[in-house]
Each structure stands twice: as C-alpha cells, then as structure tokens.
C-alpha cells in the first residue's frame, strides 16, 4: 500500500506557515522529510503525519509556545485518530512540582476525559484541539 506524499508547498499551505518559517524549521530539524521526490532538484516529500505535525507545531507557536518547547511535545500525536482529542501543555507536572528542565508537561487528553483536573494548580496552560487541526489539514490537502 502506497501512502500519499505531499510537497513542501502543500505542507506550508496546510500548516499555514511562510516559506521562511518552513526553511528555518527544516534547517533546525523541526520539520523532517523522509523522502525526496524523483526528478529535478529532488524536492522534499512529506507523509500526512508529517504535515499534521507541522500544523500542530504552527498552532502552538501561534499561541505563544516557543518552537523548541512545542517540538518536545509532538512525539506522540498519532494515538488519537478518529476521535476527539486535545493536546494540553502546562507548566507543572501531576504532583504540582515545578519541572526545572523544560517547565512544561504535555499530555494528550481524549475527548471523553475532563480537562479541568488537568489545568488546576498550573501557572499556565495551552490546550489545542488535535481533531480540529487534523480536519483543517485534510481540507487543505484535498482542495
């Protein structure tokens, strides 16, 4: 089974990032291509998961999370497919103790879970809807 591959232009459009941002993130390793297309210049090709990851990264950065901190929380984005889910990033861990190294903890919350217990006693929190970003990316790639 062949999975569909998307170009850098499609990734930029779906993630809503500029060419300059794409180039910077790619150079710093935040966007990674597993394949190069055949032909002139061997352009980068991306899987849907890679495009989705870039869109989530862009949304977190838009909400004020630094790109390096946002990138740390994107390793486990793929377990929620076809269900409502949120990525929650907060300033404290489960016990409320400060985390010295990064200052943040990321967690995927399933739609049926209550978000409130996850945000109390935090200095700050960012919550994004993964399924809504996924739907937006799919629309952008199919247009």
């Amino acid at each position: 089974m062949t999975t569909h591959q998307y170009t850098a232009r499609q990734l930029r459009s779906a993630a809503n990032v500029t060419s300059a941002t794409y180039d910077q993130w790619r150079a710093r390793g935040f966007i990674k291509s597993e394949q190069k297309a055949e032909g002139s210049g061997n352009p980068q090709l991306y899987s849907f998961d890679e495009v989705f990851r870039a869109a989530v990264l862009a949304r977190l950065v838009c909400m004020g999370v630094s790109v390096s901190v946002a990138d740390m929380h994107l390793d486990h984005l793929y377990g929620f497919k076809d269900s409502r889910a949120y990525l929650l990033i907060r300033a404290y861990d489960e016990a409320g103790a400060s985390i010295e190294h990064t200052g943040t903890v990321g967690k995927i919350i399933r739609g049926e879970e209550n978000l409130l217990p996850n945000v109390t006693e935090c200095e700050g929190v960012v919550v994004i809807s993964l399924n809504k970003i996924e739907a937006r990316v799919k629309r952008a790639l199919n247009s």
Side-chain angles (χ1 to χ4, degrees), residues 35-54:
Q35 287 190 36
K36 293 186 180 213
E38 293 181 22
S40 172
N42 291 327
Q44 303 293 310
L45 293 177
Y46 299 92
S47 68
F48 177 81
D49 285 346
E50 292 164 332
V51 174
F52 174 66
R53 186 182 188 286

Side-chain angles (χ1 to χ4, degrees), residues 21-93:
T21 296
Y22 165 81
D23 291 341
Q24 291 169 3
W25 288 1
R26 195 167 150 260
R28 293 175 62 194
F30 298 126
I31 295 176
K32 298 175 185 110
S33 171
E34 294 182 7
Q35 287 190 36
K36 293 186 180 213
E38 293 181 22
S40 172
N42 291 327
Q44 303 293 310
L45 293 177
Y46 299 92
S47 68
F48 177 81
D49 285 346
E50 292 164 332
V51 174
F52 174 66
R53 186 182 188 286
V56 172
L57 184 66
R59 172 43 89 196
L60 289 170
V61 169
C62 180
M63 295 181 72
V65 178
S66 76
V67 67
S68 57
V69 169
D71 183 65
M72 290 187 308
H73 297 293
L74 301 185
D75 289 338
H76 308 288
L77 284 179
Y78 311 111
F80 72 91
K81 296 288 187 207
D82 300 322
S83 63
R84 195 172 66 186
Y86 305 92
L87 175 62
L88 179 137
I89 299 175
R90 60 194 172 153
Y92 282 92
D93 69 3

